[in-house]
Amino acid sequence: MEKDIVKRVGGWIKGKVKYYICFCRVALFVTAAVYCHNVVNYNVLGVLVTCFTLNLKKDTIRRSALLENVREGLEIQVKAWAYARRSGFRKIIIFSTAAYILGLVMFYLSASNRIPNTSFGLYMFLSVLIAVGKAGGVSFLKTYLLDELIAGHENISDINYNRAQWRTKIWLSPAGVLVVFPTPLNFDEPWSRMFLNSMYMVGAASFLSFCGSLFSHQRHHPDTKTESTKRHRKYPDTSDEYHLKNDHQTLPPDQPFNNGGNQLPESSPTAGAEAQQKSPSLCSVKQENVGKLLLRMIPMWSAFIVFGLVMSTADTFFSVQHDNMDSCYQIDTSYFLLAKDVLKVVSACLCNFLVSRRISRSQQNLALKMIICLGMTFSVLCPSFAWQVEIQRLKIVHERGLHGVPEGKKVPMSDLRLASQFCLWGLAEGLATSGLDEFFSYHVSKSTEDYGSEVFNKIPIGIGSFLSVVCVSAGKGWFGNTLNQSRLDNYYRMITIVAWINLCWFFFVSTFYSTKEEVADEGIQLQEIIAEVG
């Protein structure tokens, strides 16, 4: 009896270990490359805005915020572009690494005074280079590893996608944990040395990525441009009827057609299944439905534009606040950012676990809206807490007469007061974005499901970063040459009010989405999705 119990327990453990863990040569190199990128992200790019505030001499705070906002927005858009074309792995790595290293080299020359009087325009150009360079960073490598772990299957429906996702997370977890420990290169030095160390790490990450690509498998990815731009055509009413531009012609689901809407002859060399998959100018008739499904997501995406504005505000000003505090604890900003990301990952995992394991399919639509709502609520509380902390900081500034100090002397205030806003930032980003990714998968077809988190759902958040540029420019009078001479509390208050309005807008938008039945595979049957927009 005891032997049977031990055998069953051992079999269960072995099955779980086999489910979550696998050996992959590509994963070894990718994990090491992600570690190199993480070191640079937390120690340099995460606090790059403080470098701008140190070197810009005129309208410092506002211009630093503009540089950071543009970099964030452009970075998100370039990542989405890279993801959609991730089959060209080596080309993207070469291009992104070249831009990354060029930007870091010029930052190094500027920080070491070899480029005197660095202008705002030059910093803007360097920020664009860094944004393009990060397209081949952590997010892209994570996606590439996921593709490798599910590669080798001829039929995509036979792949256990959830298992591949868990294996990717487990493989990359050491790359995040090891960031806590001291790195081989010292980043607690002047900016010139930090940029030089970053070049070494980016170069090492590029080399490791190329080594991993030598063991990779080729995998075709759907062409999202073709799928999403055919929405003007007539859509099928039933699962066994398909139309071209001419309503009198019906075709089987996989019959190819050209961009003009004309049916290709069976003898055409591009009419084969393999050829039409590889051709960017062709798509099957069933792919026409994808565009219509994507259009139904627009109201939900509209609520995430302001959400992106809030996240961009946190990414821009929280580091500046911390850099202006003189605390006895002296907690580095990178640890606050790491704690934020840990909360983001944990909340996202809990969201995925709840949706996939604990509730029925019929309840998932409501649960996902509640999860997104909770994330949106945290996005309101995040600038609210930052607003109150800034009020207290400015009170100390006025009491000690620090607002007139030209160089912006640090304020004697505990940086632990920032812990709440960093935590709320992580919870908001984790719950809202993961909830949106699951919501996207629930409402669209399988052919575009894996493009949700890295392409479609990222675009409105990137637009929010560009919206932050508009808001900072509109509040020009609140920003001075130093943080002590600025009224960041007024800006936080404005962002809090906008976030509250956006939360109400989300409540209204969420009423558009309810389902009687599941969305059919590949979007062939639209069925009865009640998501009418206006």
Side-chain angles (χ1 to χ4, degrees), residues 6 21 25 70 87 91 117 135-136 156 205 216 227 231 276 305 327 338 349 360 381 394 463 466 503 518:
V6 171
I21 300 176
R25 288 176 295 181
V70 170
S87 56
K91 293 181 181 179
N117 301 322
I156 192 70
S216 66
E227 293 179 352
R231 59 182 181 272
Q276 67 171 299
I305 294 177
S327 174
L338 182 61
C349 290
S360 64
L381 296 177
L394 288 176
I463 295 174
F466 290 119
L503 181 61
E518 299 180 12

Side-chain angles (χ1 to χ4, degrees), residues 192-212:
S192 58
R193 188 65 185 176
M194 292 172 68
F195 287 127
L196 188 62
N197 292 342
S198 299
M199 284 188 283
Y200 298 149
M201 299 299 283
V202 171
S206 177
F207 174 76
L208 291 167
S209 300
F210 269 103
C211 291

Side-chain angles (χ1 to χ4, degrees), residues 114-132:
R114 299 184 183 184
I115 301 179
N117 301 322
T118 306
S119 63
F120 174 79
L122 179 58
Y123 273 140
M124 180 65 73
F125 174 69
L126 299 185
S127 298
V128 171
L129 288 178
I130 296 298
V132 173

